[in-house]
Amino acid sequence: MAKKQKKQQGRAPAAPMPEQKAGQSLKDLLGDEALAKLKQVERELKTAKQEEEAAEAERRRRELAEKEKNKSFAELLADYDKKGGGKYS
């Protein structure tokens, strides 16, 4: 029982949150300059992500082309037969 009381006494009471005015938004709290900077950063992040995705797609395309280029004759023939273009299919 004494241990529980010590733990409760050791805690500081929670600080009351400052009251916010009704209708106050982040846009209102930030200045126009700060808001413009945030929007610019958001645009830069979006373009960077798009460029990264495009680069990844290009890398995958190149890998597939290289893989196709390096296939042996037997692998090419097997692929051709799978597609139904073989003479005996």
Side-chain angles (χ1 to χ4, degrees):
M1 186 89 143
K3 288 182 182 179
K4 288 183 182 178
Q5 289 176 352
K6 285 183 183 180
K7 285 183 182 179
Q8 289 176 355
Q9 290 174 356
R11 292 185 197 164
M17 297 291 288
E19 292 184 28
Q20 292 183 347
K21 296 179 183 176
Q24 205 173 33
S25 67
L26 185 60
K27 185 177 179 180
D28 296 335
L29 295 174
L30 292 177
D32 291 336
E33 187 176 313
L35 191 60
K37 284 182 183 179
L38 283 174
K39 286 184 179 182
Q40 178 64 28
V41 168
E42 182 182 22
R43 277 185 245 129
E44 290 172 1
L45 286 173
K46 282 182 182 178
T47 55
K49 185 176 180 181
Q50 288 174 346
E51 290 172 0
E52 185 179 313
E53 289 173 353
E56 180 67 21
E58 179 66 19
R59 183 189 63 79
R60 276 190 246 116
R61 187 192 62 75
R62 286 183 183 169
E63 282 181 1
L64 287 174
E66 188 68 25
K67 190 175 180 182
E68 185 74 22
K69 182 176 139 183
N70 291 331
K71 280 187 177 180
S72 69
F73 180 74
E75 290 171 327
L76 290 171
L77 188 59
D79 288 347
Y80 185 72
D81 285 338
K82 285 180 187 175
K83 292 180 183 176
K87 183 176 180 181
Y88 302 106
S89 59

